[in-house]
Amino acid sequence: MIWNTDYETLPRGDIAGLQGERLGRLVDVLYRRVPFYRKKMESLGVKPHDVQGIADVVKLPFTTKDEMRDVYPYGLLAVDLKEIVEIHTSSGTTGKPVVDAYTAGDIEVWAEVMARTLAAGGTTRHDIVQNAYGYGLFTGGLGVHYGARKIGATVIPISGGNTKRQLAILQDFKSTIVTCTPSYSLFLAEAAREEGIDLGKVGLKAGFFGAEPWSESMRAEIEEKLRALAIDIYGLTEIIGPGVATECERQDGLHICEDHFYPEIIDPETGRVLPDGEKGELVITTITKEGTPVLRYRTRDITYLDHSPCACGRTSVRMHRVLGRTDDMLIIRGVNVFPSQIEEVVLKFEGVEPHYQLVVERRDQLDELEVQVEMNERMFSDEIKNLERTERSIEADLYATLNIHTRVRLVEPKSLARSEGKAKRIIDKRTL
Ligand SMILES: [Zn+2]
């Protein structure tokens, strides 16, 4: 279902015109009201009148996460503080958090793009949305909440964690939609099995999963375990929270809400803009944001764009599911490796569970990557020589995909740590 046909099916030429107009207005505001951006533009010798259309976006400066932290808390405000109605921040686990301050208009846009997201996976006003994203400063909870409210669905604001209660609510209230991280959805499925709950009978229609990169193999696992459509959604605090992009029911790339967020793909080394289909770092400009707009924000997410029309009828550009993050990228003996690439290969094997961990060590100056994967109970009771055979064939498939030698170790069921939020996949002992 298309929530907003006016904007989601706008002809390509009209989209570019609208983006150019909005970018021009934004640059003007930033130049006048945000010293941080005025300085950056001056250092590049760019004036607002140099931006005449969306193609001129390349003249503008990039923004990095570190820069956003440096001007904590209010350095990016483009309006008076009295216009701000809500504030969210990033987790700040690795330093000062990034602040996202919303005007009433920004919250309206957030509800709109989240309504588009939820509708793209089939959510209607008849649905019961069990929102297991965390409420609070994290953007996941309230983002989904506003979108579901706009559609007119029933929201259950259960927030993250408390798995027993999640399962009880799921059964008692007959939730039809669930929203959480992909890894938590598997944790829920596992807990349901242990409690003897048949998730197939609960009547879930769809789940909206984001906040961490995941693979097609992981999708197959989730859809089988939840017996529901698994939709990949994308967003980040620095831009608005969830609502930047979503898959439609075709599950073939994520439609970006281009009338609000202008995407580019760049070479992360040189900053050069790359054409459709080429992998690089996603960069986003918030062309309608009022509170804390950003120019060319470097997301550190690796993906590529596709402007070809989608069978669903939406005209917006699609981004491929996030392949990895520049900061999650492992460099093993000079080869770039993303956890999601390993996940894709490993989960195709019979008897393997979607719980894995990557351990990197350096021995005799050489990087060694060990892939620890849980096996299911049936495989666990199998003969050692069969387990070893499976380990060797996973290693061979990983070598064919990544071109590096890895060591695969099948570990006992439930021996790896579970996460109720974002999964931690990498233990890099080279940096410990
Ligand atoms: Zn589509």
Side-chain angles (χ1 to χ4, degrees):
M1 189 199 124
I2 299 178
W3 175 254
N4 188 331
T5 42
D6 286 354
Y7 283 100
E8 292 181 83
T9 62
L10 203 62
R12 291 295 323 163
D14 295 352
I15 293 177
L18 183 72
Q19 289 170 330
E21 213 176 279
R22 290 177 166 179
L23 179 68
R25 218 157 35 213
L26 172 68
V27 168
D28 200 45
V29 168
L30 291 178
Y31 195 79
R32 280 187 294 110
R33 309 205 57 162
V34 185
F36 169 80
Y37 276 119
R38 188 188 184 109
K39 252 185 259 156
K40 280 175 86 80
M41 286 172 65
E42 278 172 348
S43 74
L44 293 176
V46 189
K47 287 258 160 42
H49 64 76
D50 293 323
V51 178
Q52 296 294 331
I54 195 63
D56 292 326
V57 72
V58 296
K59 298 175 181 169
L60 296 167
F62 289 116
T63 310
T64 65
K65 187 171 184 138
D66 286 341
E67 287 174 316
M68 292 180 84
R69 285 170 163 161
D70 289 345
V71 294
Y72 174 90
Y74 288 135
L76 288 173
L77 267 195
V79 296
D80 283 343
L81 194 52
K82 68 173 188 296
E83 303 298 326
I84 298 299
V85 300
E86 191 167 317
I87 288 175
H88 289 266
T89 76
S90 62
S91 63
T93 40
T94 50
K96 285 257 186 262
V98 169
V99 176
D100 196 350
Y102 304 69
T103 63
D106 292 331
I107 295 289
E108 212 13 77
V109 168
W110 201 12
E112 161 69 23
V113 292
M114 277 311 295
R116 292 184 196 176
T117 295
L118 294 169
T123 311
T124 69
R125 56 192 303 272
H126 300 289
D127 282 302
I128 297 175
V129 180
Q130 182 159 338
N131 186 11
Y133 280 115
Y135 279 67
L137 285 175
F138 175 59
T139 50
L142 279 163
V144 168
H145 191 98
Y146 292 140
R149 283 285 310 272
K150 190 166 177 86
I151 287 176
T154 307
V155 197
I156 303 180
I158 185 163
S159 198
N162 208 340
T163 304
K164 275 200 163 41
R165 195 162 181 217
Q166 299 276 2
L167 291 174
I169 297 266
L170 206 55
Q171 291 174 291
D172 298 345
F173 290 75
K174 310 223 167 355
S175 309
T176 53
I177 304 285
V178 66
T179 58
C180 59
T181 58
S183 49
Y184 188 60
S185 77
L186 287 170
F187 185 65
L188 265 181
E190 192 175 51
R193 211 187 48 197
E194 277 166 18
E195 302 265 314
I197 299 165
D198 182 356
L199 280 181
K201 290 206 178 109
V202 170
L204 274 175
K205 256 169 54 179
F208 293 82
F209 306 115
E212 61 188 22
W214 49 307
S215 64
E216 273 313 312
S217 306
M218 178 76 98
R219 190 204 310 271
E221 290 275 349
I222 295 174
E223 292 194 331
E224 191 205 316
K225 292 198 156 116
L226 262 58
R227 314 242 182 94
L229 192 68
I231 296 284
D232 189 10
I233 65 173
Y234 178 76
L236 58 173
T237 308
E238 293 80 0
I239 300 302
I240 195 167
V244 174
T246 182
E247 283 182 335
C248 61
E249 71 283 359
R250 304 266 160 181
Q251 298 175 312
D252 184 20
L254 290 80
H255 289 277
I256 298 178
C257 292
E258 267 185 290
D259 47 332
H260 298 289
F261 315 110
Y262 181 74
E264 301 168 87
I265 299 290
I266 62 161
D267 177 332
E269 302 290 322
T270 64
R272 192 172 61 90
V273 177
L274 300 175
D276 260 26
E278 260 186 60
K279 279 179 211 160
E281 181 181 354
L282 177 66
V283 167
I284 297 175
T285 299
T286 62
I287 52 178
T288 57
K289 202 169 178 184
E290 298 171 337
T292 44
V294 282
L295 288 180
R296 308 188 83 196
Y297 178 68
R298 296 189 56 162
T299 65
R300 297 184 290 185
D301 287 323
I302 303 293
T303 181
Y304 56 88
L305 297 180
D306 176 4
H307 281 84
S308 69
C310 181
C312 72
R314 288 175 184 82
T315 50
S316 44
V317 64
R318 282 172 287 160
M319 59 182 262
H320 187 270
R321 67 183 323 135
V322 172
L323 296 157
R325 294 180 58 85
T326 52
D327 25 357
D328 272 354
M329 189 176 77
L330 286 167
I331 303 178
I332 309 288
R333 301 185 192 185
V335 179
N336 299 348
V337 178
F338 290 108
S340 56
Q341 288 177 294
I342 294 173
E343 177 183 302
E344 180 77 48
V345 172
V346 168
L347 298 193
K348 283 187 179 142
F349 280 82
E350 196 69 33
V352 155
E353 288 291 303
H355 303 287
Y356 65 96
Q357 186 167 282
L358 311 175
V359 182
V360 193
E361 272 181 286
R362 185 163 288 157
R363 280 200 201 105
D364 305 328
Q365 310 299 322
L366 273 181
D367 299 328
E368 296 202 344
L369 172 61
E370 180 171 279
V371 181
Q372 302 172 349
V373 200
E374 281 186 18
M375 49 191 152
N376 63 19
E377 297 286 351
R378 188 153 26 99
M379 187 185 250
F380 185 47
S381 57
D382 208 343
E383 287 175 48
I384 296 284
K385 70 171 193 298
N386 290 340
L387 297 186
E388 283 173 350
R389 195 180 311 134
T390 305
E391 288 174 338
R392 297 299 86 76
S393 29
I394 298 178
E395 283 167 4
D397 274 19
L398 282 172
Y399 183 75
T401 307
L402 306 171
N403 213 18
I404 51 164
H405 289 288
T406 55
R407 204 167 94 85
V408 171
R409 200 152 63 81
L410 291 167
V411 298
E412 277 180 48
K414 298 194 193 69
S415 59
L416 298 178
R418 299 293 191 260
S419 141
E420 295 194 345
K422 299 187 192 191
K424 176 148 176 44
R425 308 280 191 203
I426 303 171
I427 298 175
D428 196 340
K429 294 187 175 167
R430 297 174 301 184
T431 55
L432 289 180

